[in-house]
């Protein structure tokens, strides 16, 4: 288990070079191809930021042991379908914006975000799971037209409620 410096992933050879890292200074992912991140299965801490995008071809951000990270910024990824961070407990900020194919975000242990929590402009997003989230600096969740399930205890963060059509009462003659 080793600590590693700043890592940029553009191809599978970059993932292989970072295999076995328990801690990174920062992680940037920008690619035009599919990447398998299983080799990063030991990664627990990113001291700096996790930046993903813009990219195409990359479909799943899954870091099963990541517990702590600086800011997370996942922006403009054309083929990204899921973000899965099951062990993540704390982040400096969390921004997910403009990922057209993204349907699911899951960070069930994420309890504290020091700065902004923003999930915006993700056209296919249906599920947002941040079950333990109890504190965030600011919160913004909008522009996600298919978002129907938000699992969170954060006050003010609730699933969108469809507005019922109201028909006016018949006028009296």
């Amino acid at each position: 288990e080793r600590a590693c410096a700043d890592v940029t992933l553009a191809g599978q050879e970059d993932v292989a070079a970072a295999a076995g890292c328990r801690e990174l200074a920062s992680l940037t992912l920008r690619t035009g191809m599919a990447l398998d991140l299983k080799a990063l299965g030991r990664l627990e801490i990113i001291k700096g930021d996790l930046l993903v995008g813009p990219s195409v071809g990359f479909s799943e951000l899954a870091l099963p042991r990541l517990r702590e990270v600086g800011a997370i910024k996942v922006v403009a990824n054309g083929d990204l379908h899921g973000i899965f961070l099951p062990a993540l407990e704390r982040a400096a900020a969390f921004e997910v914006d403009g990922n057209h194919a993204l349907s699911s975000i899951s960070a069930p242990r994420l309890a504290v975000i020091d700065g902004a929590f923003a999930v915006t402009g993700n056209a296919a997003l249906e599920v947002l799971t941040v079950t333990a989230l109890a504190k965030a600096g600011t919160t913004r969740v909008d522009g996600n037209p298919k978002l129907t399930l938000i699992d969170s205890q954060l006050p003010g963060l609730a699933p969108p409620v469809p507005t019922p059509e109201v028909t006016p009462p018949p006028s009296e003659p």
Side-chain angles (χ1 to χ4, degrees), residues 80-98:
L80 182 65
H81 293 274
I83 298 172
F84 304 101
L85 305 168
L88 186 64
E89 297 170 356
R90 183 177 201 110
F94 193 101
E95 177 188 351
V96 179
D97 179 59

Side-chain angles (χ1 to χ4, degrees), residues 11-130:
Q12 200 60 46
E13 65 282 354
D14 299 324
V15 177
C21 293
R22 188 188 69 74
E23 186 176 295
L24 295 176
S26 70
L27 178 60
T28 301
L29 193 153
R30 287 192 180 101
T31 188
M33 62 182 65
L35 294 180
D36 181 352
L37 300 183
K38 286 183 186 136
L40 301 180
R42 293 180 179 225
L43 183 61
E44 294 180 17
I45 298 170
I46 300 174
K47 289 193 174 215
D49 297 340
L50 169 59
L51 307 172
V52 181
S55 71
V56 293
F58 178 67
S59 64
E60 184 176 286
L61 176 62
L63 297 169
R65 290 192 183 172
L66 183 65
R67 291 181 291 108
E68 188 177 320
V69 65
I72 295 175
K73 189 171 184 177
V74 182
V75 178
N77 295 283
D79 297 319
L80 182 65
H81 293 274
I83 298 172
F84 304 101
L85 305 168
L88 186 64
E89 297 170 356
R90 183 177 201 110
F94 193 101
E95 177 188 351
V96 179
D97 179 59
N99 301 284
H100 302 293
L102 183 64
S103 63
S104 182
I105 298 172
S106 179
R109 291 186 179 176
L110 180 59
V112 177
I113 298 172
D114 300 318
F117 176 73
V119 178
T120 57
N122 301 288
L125 185 64
E126 295 177 4
V127 178
L128 173 59
T129 304
V130 285

